[in-house]
Amino acid sequence: MTVEENIEAQRAAYGEPLSAIFGRVKQALGLNQSELAGVLGMSAPMLSQLNSAQRVKIGNPAVLQRLQALDGLAEQLDQGAVEAAEVPGRLEEIRSSTGRFTRTTSMVSAEGGDAAVVAGVRHLLRAVASGQQIKDAANQLESSAPGVAEVLRTYGLGSVGPALEHYTRHKDLF
C-alpha cells in the first residue's frame, strides 16, 4: 500500500489520520514525539511509522485506549475542564493505565461527566466513519432528518465546544 492509501485507511479506522491526532495531542499537552511515545507505551520508531503512515493501525488495545484518553484530556484542557497544573498527574495516570478492548465505554467510565459523553460520541463517530463520510451522510439526511444531520455535523465534524453546548442543551432527553 502507498502512504496515501495508508492515510485513507487510518482515516477509515480512526476518523482522521493518526498524524492529526498525534499532532493535536502533542500541541495541547506540550509533549514531544518521544514523550508521547512514552505515555502511550510504544517505541518512538513505531510512533514515527504510524505518524508517517508507514504503518496503518495501532495493534495494542491498551495503546489505543491511552491515545483516546490523551485526546480526551487535550479536549478537556481546551474546554477549561482541566487545569494545566493537573496535566502531569493525568499523564502519569494515562501512562500507567492498562486499557480495555472497548473504545467508547472505557472513555466514558474513565472521564465521567458531560465532557466524557461528548468525547465518547465524538470518538464513536470518528471510529466508524471518516470526516468526509460523516459530511456526506449529514448532507444526505438534511432534508429528511435535519436533527440527525445536525448531530452528525456537531459531534462528527465540529469542535468540542459546540458539541458540549449541544449536549448540555439536550441531555435532559437521555
Side-chain angles (χ1 to χ4, degrees):
M1 290 178 70
T2 67
V3 169
E4 292 79 20
E5 290 170 324
N6 286 352
I7 290 171
E8 284 308 309
Q10 286 180 347
R11 188 173 280 117
Y14 304 110
E16 60 188 319
L18 286 171
S19 62
I21 299 169
F22 294 154
R24 182 174 57 245
V25 167
K26 287 189 307 184
Q27 181 179 10
L29 302 177
L31 301 172
N32 64 36
Q33 190 154 317
S34 177
E35 292 167 332
L36 176 59
V39 174
L40 290 172
M42 67 171 35
S43 70
M46 176 62 79
L47 179 70
S48 179
Q49 290 174 358
L50 290 164
N51 192 54
S52 64
Q54 292 172 339
R55 289 185 179 255
V56 175
K57 291 189 177 182
I58 298 170
N60 184 329
V63 172
L64 180 59
Q65 186 273 330
R66 287 184 202 110
L67 179 58
Q68 290 172 321
L70 287 172
D71 196 34
L73 177 59
E75 287 181 15
Q76 289 178 335
L77 187 63
D78 183 54
Q79 296 168 355
V82 171
E83 297 292 325
E86 297 175 63
V87 170
R90 296 284 299 273
L91 289 175
E92 190 51 44
E93 287 173 14
I94 292 168
R95 179 188 332 263
S96 63
S97 67
T98 58
R100 299 184 186 139
F101 283 101
T102 57
R103 292 179 179 173
T104 306
T105 304
S106 65
M107 289 293 298
V108 172
S109 66
E111 294 173 10
D114 293 353
V117 174
V118 169
V121 172
R122 289 168 53 88
H123 287 294
L124 175 62
L125 286 172
R126 292 173 182 180
V128 301
S130 70
Q132 187 61 51
Q133 291 170 322
I134 294 170
K135 183 178 179 180
D136 291 346
N139 289 341
Q140 290 175 8
L141 290 167
E142 185 61 41
S143 61
S144 63
V148 176
E150 176 188 11
V151 166
L152 288 175
R153 286 189 185 102
T154 302
Y155 294 87
L157 302 172
S159 63
V160 73
L164 189 57
E165 291 171 13
H166 183 273
Y167 176 74
T168 302
R169 286 193 315 270
H170 295 90
K171 70 181 179 179
D172 62 319
L173 300 173
F174 291 92

